């Protein structure tokens, strides 16, 4: 039985993912897509507390714990923002051009824009310049839209870490066969030749002898610890004695022998003699859980890298607008030289523009770094690190609230985490080793039984024929006893095994506490991140209103106004970056909670099936 190289059955039906699609060409389609992605998560329904609290059922191996009332956890927010309202502030570069145009249309329709056309004209130049900067990210002909489901599927098929770990269960399976092979029947064949030539002082003693023997048989270790064997052998011997002193020369002696050696104390018992098989099977279970853990951790890394790529790309859109705004401000200063602006103000604006341009170029670099990170995790031959391919995440960040049962999440983690199953398997291994070490303290008391039939003749055929008559039958029964005073070595080994068993129990408790802590942190992070979303969005909206109000306040430029406007632009970029960070961390926290519960594979509709059994 071996595990398939990746996973014998991989079903990715797109739990929250969608299949790769072409990018929408209009902002209306973009908004429709966002709404359809979140239609199944109506905020009013999600945030509503049920009239009757659900019950948290105990995990399968904690049946002593009775059901208890659930501990519901939900974000504490004054209002639930619409997904379109949030994501409209953070467009992907592929959709940013349409978003910028919609913002421009809204500004034209806004009262401040109708009152002061300078604001509209300035933002028109900002939009135009933003599109020029966004082109630095474009790689025509090499764009590759990727859904999250597709990334996970490519990872399961090609990731090096998963492929390497997939060999470990197969290796452990061979160790089971090795342990079982102790009870295989063994065939043996022994042959010998001896020539003796020695002086003798007696007339009737042979000084020379020629002996040739051959013996073949079967032997086997039985599950009770007994050693059983059957053998058939024949020996030919000739001497230099005169013919009148011996009836046959050469002499053929054929012997059938059956032997049984059964331990009665040390080494006795089915459980003892199958201990190595059970330990090997536990090793296999541990290696299989380690494989599942590797798949789970790798999928989490891929989802994290996917959302970090989405974050890096959307941050480029934020900084593109920022650097364009600073450029337009600098150009306004140049145009108003030397009447309404001074050289100092121009250089100050130029410095801010160049600084924001440096930040923008760094953001473009971080996008390519994030692409390489995702490519490296997938290891897909179609998306190699050497190929300059632009990866376009097609998933829309999830921005709806979640209602969680904290108790149920913890109990699910205790029941599902592969680390706990590994620790429990190691406890069983330690218990088996302790039992075997305890048996080694016993004295040795073995029962021996030998049954033998002989035949002799002047030829090999006659010797064998005489054997089959069963005329010469011998048997013997014996008992062997041995005791090591003090049994210090065996007792020390038994004590060590007991300590290791106790250690494995403590290790299980430590792992459980760590997992509970991880689930608590994941639940807390998830609720806090969503609680941060409304104020972060409100901060962005306030920063946008502040910048527009500042630009509409006066047409007279002075150093104080310039510095205030530049600060407002940087403040808007910082607020949008904060909002983006909150949204991405919220989406990663969703996956982190599934990972902490040990249900990430089920969450992504991934099934791991033993390759041997599936045939």
């Amino acid at each position: 039985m071996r595990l398939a190289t990746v996973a014998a059955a991989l079903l990715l039906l797109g739990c929250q993912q969608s299949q790769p699609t072409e990018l929408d060409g209009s902002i209306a389609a973009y908004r429709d897509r966002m709404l359809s992605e979140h239609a199944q998560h109506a905020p009013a329904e999600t945030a509503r507390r049920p009239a009757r609290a659900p019950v948290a059922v105990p995990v399968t191996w904690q049946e002593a714990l009775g059901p208890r009332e659930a501990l519901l956890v939900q974000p504490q927010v004054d209002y639930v923002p619409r997904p379109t309202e949030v994501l409209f502030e953070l467009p992907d570069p592929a959709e940013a051009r349409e978003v910028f145009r919609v913002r421009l249309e809204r500004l034209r329709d806004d009262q401040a824009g109708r009152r002061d056309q300078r604001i509209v004209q300035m933002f028109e130049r900002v939009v135009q310049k933003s599109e020029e900067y966004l082109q630095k990210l474009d790689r025509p002909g090499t764009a590759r839209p990727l859904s999250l489901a597709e990334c996970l599927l490519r990872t399961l098929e090609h990731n090096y870490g998963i492929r390497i770990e997939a060999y470990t269960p197969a290796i452990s399976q061979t160790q089971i066969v090795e342990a079982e092979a102790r009870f295989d029947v063994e065939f043996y064949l022994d042959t010998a030749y001896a020539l003796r030539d020695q002086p003798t002082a007696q007339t009737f003693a042979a000084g020379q002898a020629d002996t040739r023997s051959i013996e073949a048989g079967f032997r086997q270790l039985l599950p009770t610890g007994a050693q059983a064997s059957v053998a058939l052998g024949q020996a030919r011997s000739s001497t230099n004695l005169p013919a009148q002193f011996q009836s046959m020369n050469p002499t053929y002696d054929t012997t059938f022998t059956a032997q049984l050696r059964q331990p009665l104390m040390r080494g006795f018992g089915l459980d003892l003699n199958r201990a190595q098989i059970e330990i090997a099977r536990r090793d296999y279970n541990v290696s299989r859980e380690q494989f599942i853990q590797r798949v789970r951790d790798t999928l989490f890394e891929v989802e994290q890298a996917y959302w970090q790529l989405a974050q890096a790309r959307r941050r480029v859109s934020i900084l593109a607008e920022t650097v364009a705004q600073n450029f337009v401000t600098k150009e306004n200063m140049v145009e108003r030289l030397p009447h309404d602006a001074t050289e100092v103000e121009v250089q100050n604006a130029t410095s801010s523009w160049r600084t924001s341009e440096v930040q923008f170029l760094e953001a473009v670099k971080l996008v390519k770094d994030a692409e390489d990170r995702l490519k490296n995790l997938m290891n897909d031959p179609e998306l190699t690190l050497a190929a300059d391919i632009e990866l376009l995440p097609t998933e829309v960040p999830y921005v709806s609230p979640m209602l969680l049962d904290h108790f149920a999440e913890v109990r699910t983690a205790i029941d599902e985490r592969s680390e706990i199953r590994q620790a429990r398997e190691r406890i069983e291994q330690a218990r088996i080793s302790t039992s075997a070490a305890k048996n080694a303290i016993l004295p040795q008391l073995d029962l021996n039984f030998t049954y033998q039939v002989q035949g002799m003749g002047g030829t090999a055929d006659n010797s064998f024929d005489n054997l089959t008559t069963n005329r010469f039958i011998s048997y013997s029964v014996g008992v062997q006893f041995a005791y090591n005073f003090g049994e210090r070595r065996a007792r020390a080994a038994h004590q060590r095994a007991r300590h290791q068993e106790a250690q494995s129990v403590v290790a299980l408790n430590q792992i459980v506490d760590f997992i509970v802590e991880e689930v608590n942190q994941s639940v807390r992070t998830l609720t806090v991140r969503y609680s941060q979303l409304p104020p972060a969005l409100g901060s962005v909206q306030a920063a946008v209103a502040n910048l527009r109000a500042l630009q509409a306040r006066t047409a007279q430029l002075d150093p104080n106004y310039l510095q205030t406007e530049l600060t407002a632009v940087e403040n808007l970029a910082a607020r949008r970056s904060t909002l983006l960070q909150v949204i991405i961390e919220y989406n990663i926290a969703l996956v982190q909670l599934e990972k902490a519960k040990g249900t990430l594979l089920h969450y992504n509709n991934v099934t791991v099936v033993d390759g041997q059994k599936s045939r």
Side-chain angles (χ1 to χ4, degrees):
M1 186 169 63
R2 59 183 176 82
L3 217 61
T5 303
V6 179
L10 300 174
L11 304 176
L12 285 151
L13 304 180
C15 191
Q16 84 280 13
Q17 304 93 335
S18 61
Q19 296 299 322
T21 56
E22 296 297 329
L23 295 180
D24 299 324
S26 65
I27 190 62
Y30 170 63
R31 289 197 302 267
D32 292 342
R33 181 158 60 88
M34 286 193 296
L35 288 173
S36 64
E37 289 285 342
H38 297 81
Q40 56 181 339
H41 304 287
E45 294 294 330
T46 307
R48 185 183 303 133
R49 182 181 295 273
R52 181 179 179 183
V55 173
V57 181
V59 296
T60 55
W61 59 282
Q62 291 182 322
E63 297 178 355
L65 297 178
R68 60 176 300 170
E69 184 177 330
L71 176 62
L72 299 181
V73 179
Q74 61 183 352
Q76 300 297 323
V77 294
D78 297 332
Y79 76 99
V80 177
R82 297 189 304 273
T84 53
E85 184 182 13
V86 177
L87 298 177
F88 186 73
E89 297 291 341
L90 311 167
D92 185 86
E95 301 155 334
R97 296 171 178 84
E98 294 296 333
V99 173
F100 289 158
R101 287 186 171 86
V102 170
R103 290 179 183 173
L104 180 59
E105 292 300 323
R106 289 184 178 180
L107 185 60
R108 286 171 178 165
D109 296 337
D110 187 69
Q111 182 177 359
R114 293 194 301 268
R115 184 172 61 251
D116 190 348
Q117 288 299 313
R118 189 181 71 89
I119 301 178
V120 176
Q121 294 172 359
M122 176 179 289
F123 194 70
E124 288 175 349
R125 298 173 65 182
V126 169
V127 170
Q128 181 181 1
K129 194 63 178 179
S130 298
E131 294 177 354
E132 294 178 8
Y133 277 107
L134 287 175
Q135 291 176 358
K136 297 181 182 294
L137 196 62
D138 294 340
R139 280 160 277 177
T142 61
R144 181 66 171 85
L146 280 177
S147 70
L148 186 54
E150 185 177 359
C151 289
L152 297 178
L153 182 59
R154 290 175 181 269
T155 301
L156 291 169
E157 291 177 349
H158 304 291
N159 179 264
Y160 290 137
I162 293 178
R163 293 168 62 185
I164 291 172
E165 194 66 34
Y167 286 100
T168 305
I171 294 172
S172 298
Q173 182 63 34
T174 61
Q175 295 173 341
I176 298 177
V177 178
E178 289 178 20
E180 293 174 340
R182 296 176 62 239
F183 300 102
D184 290 350
V185 178
E186 181 184 25
F187 170 78
Y188 69 94
L189 178 65
D190 296 337
T191 182
Y193 172 75
L195 178 63
R196 188 185 65 186
D197 187 2
Q198 61 186 16
T200 178
Q202 299 179 3
T203 304
F204 303 103
Q208 294 180 347
D210 184 332
T211 304
R212 305 170 188 180
S213 64
I214 184 171
E215 182 180 86
F218 299 91
R219 54 194 173 204
Q220 182 183 15
L221 173 65
L222 301 181
T224 60
Q227 294 279 353
S229 66
V230 293
L232 179 64
Q234 190 174 77
R236 176 191 181 278
S237 62
S238 63
T239 65
N240 63 342
L241 285 174
Q244 62 270 23
F245 296 118
Q246 53 182 347
S247 60
M248 292 180 290
N249 190 23
T251 302
Y252 289 88
D253 185 10
T254 304
T255 305
F256 171 79
T257 305
Q259 289 184 325
L260 179 67
R261 182 187 182 95
Q262 174 63 62
L264 300 179
M265 298 184 71
R266 184 192 305 170
F268 173 78
L270 296 175
D271 293 339
L272 174 67
N273 288 278
R274 293 181 58 86
Q276 293 304 317
I277 298 177
E278 294 302 322
I279 290 176
R281 286 178 176 173
R282 304 292 179 180
D283 275 334
Y284 169 77
N285 293 337
V286 169
S287 64
R288 191 176 188 277
E289 294 299 333
Q290 288 175 342
F291 173 73
I292 294 175
Q293 180 181 349
R294 166 62 69 177
V295 175
R296 182 198 70 203
D297 293 346
T298 302
L299 293 188
F300 172 73
E301 291 178 5
V302 170
E303 295 201 45
Q304 188 178 38
Y306 186 91
W307 290 119
Q308 287 173 348
L309 173 59
Q311 178 183 8
R313 289 179 57 86
R314 292 173 187 269
R315 189 167 183 271
V316 167
S317 299
I318 295 173
L319 294 180
E321 183 178 355
T322 301
V323 68
Q325 181 68 60
N326 287 335
F327 174 80
V328 171
T329 301
K330 188 268 296 183
E331 290 297 307
N332 287 340
M333 293 296 169
V334 173
E335 292 171 359
R336 306 188 73 156
L337 275 174
H339 305 290
D340 296 335
T342 65
E343 188 65 28
V344 173
E345 294 169 346
V346 171
Q347 295 303 322
N348 190 11
T350 302
S351 176
S352 297
W353 166 52
R354 288 300 186 184
T355 300
S356 60
E357 193 173 36
V358 170
Q359 296 174 350
F360 172 80
L361 295 176
E362 178 67 18
V364 173
K365 179 257 186 189
L366 293 178
V367 169
K368 297 181 179 180
D369 290 346
E371 290 174 346
D372 285 349
R373 173 60 179 162
L374 185 56
K375 290 178 183 177
N376 194 26
L377 286 170
M378 292 189 294
N379 300 129
D380 195 299
E382 296 180 2
L383 303 172
T384 62
L385 291 170
D388 187 21
I389 300 176
E390 181 183 8
L391 303 184
L392 304 179
T394 60
E395 300 299 328
V396 177
Y398 184 82
V399 292
S400 295
M402 298 287 293
L403 178 63
L404 303 173
D405 179 357
H406 198 157
F407 286 139
E409 308 298 331
V410 171
R411 289 186 171 181
T412 300
I414 294 176
D415 200 27
E416 297 292 338
R417 281 291 287 266
S418 57
E419 291 92 333
I420 292 181
R421 290 196 288 266
Q422 293 176 45
R424 296 175 66 196
E425 292 291 344
R426 297 195 188 281
I427 291 176
E428 292 302 319
Q429 283 182 319
R431 288 176 179 171
I432 294 172
S433 298
T434 301
S435 178
K438 183 178 181 180
N439 179 269
I441 301 176
L442 298 175
Q444 179 183 352
L445 180 63
D446 296 347
L447 175 64
N448 297 324
F449 175 79
T450 302
Y451 175 84
Q452 196 172 65
V453 181
Q454 291 180 304
M456 184 178 292
T459 64
D461 290 342
N462 290 337
S463 175
F464 185 78
D465 289 341
N466 290 332
L467 172 72
T468 59
T469 63
N470 293 327
R471 180 179 178 185
F472 302 98
I473 298 176
S474 306
Y475 63 88
S476 65
V477 178
V479 176
Q480 291 182 336
F481 178 81
Y483 177 73
N484 185 355
F485 287 99
E487 295 288 354
R488 295 202 303 162
R489 180 177 181 180
R491 292 184 184 278
H494 179 233
Q495 191 66 21
R496 181 181 70 248
R498 292 181 59 188
H499 290 327
Q500 290 173 342
E501 180 180 350
Q503 184 184 48
S504 62
V505 173
V506 175
L508 172 61
N509 294 332
Q510 181 187 33
I511 291 173
V512 170
D513 287 348
F514 172 80
I515 289 174
V516 172
E517 178 187 3
E518 187 176 352
V519 173
N520 289 343
Q521 291 179 353
S522 299
V523 171
R524 191 177 302 116
T525 300
L526 192 63
T527 55
V528 169
R529 289 295 174 267
Y530 190 85
S531 299
Q532 293 172 335
L533 197 152
L537 176 61
S539 177
V540 171
Q541 295 171 341
V544 172
N546 176 59
L547 178 61
R548 299 292 176 250
L550 181 64
Q551 292 173 341
R553 187 180 64 182
T554 179
Q556 181 65 35
L557 300 181
D558 57 57
N560 292 332
Y561 170 80
L562 174 63
Q563 188 61 44
T564 303
E565 182 179 9
L566 294 176
T567 302
V569 172
E570 296 298 330
N571 181 64
L572 175 58
R575 298 298 177 268
R576 282 176 172 164
S577 296
T578 300
L579 176 62
L580 177 61
Q581 183 72 22
V582 169
I583 293 175
I584 296 301
E585 289 185 359
Y586 179 67
N587 281 264
I588 293 177
L590 288 170
V591 185
Q592 176 66 43
L593 178 59
E594 297 298 329
K595 174 179 174 292
K597 294 191 299 181
T599 56
L600 185 59
L601 298 187
H602 178 72
Y603 179 73
N604 288 307
N605 291 325
V606 177
T607 304
V608 179
V609 179
D610 192 285
Q612 188 80 2
K613 289 184 177 181
S614 63
R615 293 180 180 178

